[in-house]
Amino acid sequence: MNLSISEQLLYSTIQIRCNMYGGGESSGTGFFYNFIDGDKVYPAIITNKHVLEGATNIKVKFTKTNDEGIPQDIDHIEYLVEKNIIIFHRSQDVDLCVILIGNILTENANLSYVPLDSKMIPSEEEIKKFKAIEDITMIGYPIGLIDNINNKPIIRKGITATHIKFDYNGKKEFLIDAACFPGSSGSPVFILNEGMFTGSDGNAYVGNRIFLIGVLYAGPQHTVTGNIEAVTIPTRTIPLSVTSIPINLGYVIKAEKIKELEKQVIEEIRKINNR
């Protein structure tokens, strides 16, 4: 696809819809990611654990391509996800999981998606060059919103609310200043500059810059009693009595945790293949 960086990112996410135990539906965001083990590539969708927990079934809808690989934006196909291809991050404190999609792609090769990979995750040296305040781009499906006709996500903009180089409160996380609504769980967060950007030295640089810096999973809320609580971004939009107020901040899991997850996924796939 001869597309700009931002246009390619429109094909990097997928809406995840679930039917839940006890009734009702929920939705969240996933993004395509290639786990690489030598010359082997394992395509997957990354999202939050809490997007899938409590689901009786999980559905994802792909955009089709024609035989030349050109996306047919108004032509879609939906799949039910098999639960035996889901891998949860082994740490209870890391709200990330993986849906392996190799079986879906084998069944239908004419699917349009743009996978991310570890090359897009900034190194420690690159992070040191980030400014304290960076513009961020987040792609997902807030309150379940989606361009159903074209099967496209919603793009949100914001800034980093804490410096990425620091671990917020000692955890591999940072905060963003952006509206984080139900359905945004699992959204990839990028630093994306097309054409020009400013470095930490204050100089302007011509060119493009893109980094996958993390995954949204929660947001602080101000309760009626005056406390600040971190609450995972809901996946269901149901009427509730208002007892807490979102303050338009989001907790983002640092992308380095994706690299950690990649090692686990490869280990588990190797075990399965050696049986």
Side-chain angles (χ1 to χ4, degrees):
M1 289 186 291
N2 186 22
L3 301 174
S4 68
I5 295 175
S6 55
E7 287 175 315
Q8 290 183 54
L9 291 182
L10 294 178
Y11 296 92
S12 70
T13 66
I14 191 166
Q15 188 176 45
I16 300 171
R17 305 193 68 88
C18 303
N19 292 323
M20 309 301 291
Y21 286 106
E25 294 184 347
S26 71
S27 71
T29 300
F31 60 94
F32 298 107
Y33 194 93
N34 279 344
F35 294 102
I36 300 172
D37 182 17
D39 59 352
K40 298 177 182 177
V41 177
Y42 302 108
I45 295 169
I46 294 178
T47 188
N48 294 141
K49 293 176 182 176
H50 77 265
V51 170
L52 306 184
E53 288 171 340
T56 57
N57 63 54
I58 302 161
K59 294 167 284 187
V60 291
K61 184 170 65 175
F62 284 79
T63 296
K64 291 185 177 182
T65 68
N66 61 17
D67 291 337
E68 286 73 44
I70 299 172
Q72 306 300 292
D73 293 310
I74 61 173
D75 192 6
H76 319 135
I77 184 170
E78 188 171 77
Y79 288 92
L80 278 174
V81 172
E82 300 173 18
K83 292 194 173 182
N84 64 346
I85 58 173
I86 298 173
I87 299 174
F88 290 86
H89 193 290
R90 58 171 58 100
S91 172
Q92 292 184 347
D93 296 330
V94 180
D95 193 356
L96 290 176
C97 66
V98 167
I99 302 170
L100 298 174
I101 58 171
N103 59 332
I104 294 176
L105 300 181
T106 299
E107 180 181 332
N108 189 338
N110 291 340
L111 298 179
S112 177
Y113 72 103
V114 174
L116 313 178
D117 59 37
S118 61
K119 294 177 183 177
M120 298 182 66
I121 297 175
S123 66
E124 290 184 12
E125 288 303 312
E126 287 169 324
I127 289 173
K128 290 177 182 177
K129 297 178 182 178
F130 290 160
K131 303 189 301 293
I133 302 173
E134 292 279 2
D135 292 329
I136 61 98
T137 299
M138 180 171 65
I139 301 178
Y141 307 89
I143 61 172
L145 286 175
I146 181 174
D147 177 355
N148 276 304
I149 299 299
N150 299 292
N151 196 31
K152 291 293 179 292
I154 309 300
I155 303 167
R156 310 302 300 271
K157 294 284 288 184
I159 60 171
T160 52
T162 62
H163 201 309
I164 303 173
K165 72 178 181 181
F166 297 119
D167 294 340
Y168 181 72
N169 279 338
K171 300 181 72 175
K172 293 297 180 181
E173 301 173 1
F174 62 94
L175 264 64
I176 57 172
D177 185 346
C180 304
F181 290 96
S184 296
S185 290
S187 293
V189 179
F190 301 95
I191 290 177
L192 169 63
N193 306 109
E194 291 182 293
M196 183 172 290
F197 61 93
T198 305
S200 58
D201 56 7
N203 293 325
Y205 296 88
V206 176
N208 298 325
R209 182 175 70 153
I210 182 169
F211 292 105
L212 172 62
I213 56 174
V215 184
L216 179 75
Y217 83 100
Q221 295 191 348
H222 189 261
T223 68
V224 292
T225 57
N227 296 322
I228 302 293
E229 297 179 354
V231 180
T232 54
I233 303 296
T235 56
R236 285 195 264 191
T237 53
I238 55 177
L240 294 173
S241 59
V242 178
T243 57
S244 60
I245 306 167
I247 58 174
N248 284 355
L249 292 173
Y251 287 111
V252 179
I253 300 167
K254 287 188 173 184
E256 64 186 84
K257 285 295 180 181
I258 297 175
K259 288 186 175 181
E260 189 175 278
L261 182 60
E262 182 161 21
K263 292 180 182 179
Q264 178 188 339
V265 169
I266 290 171
E267 286 175 7
E268 297 198 22
I269 291 175
R270 285 176 178 175
K271 289 179 183 177
I272 294 170
N273 291 340
N274 289 332
R275 287 176 184 171

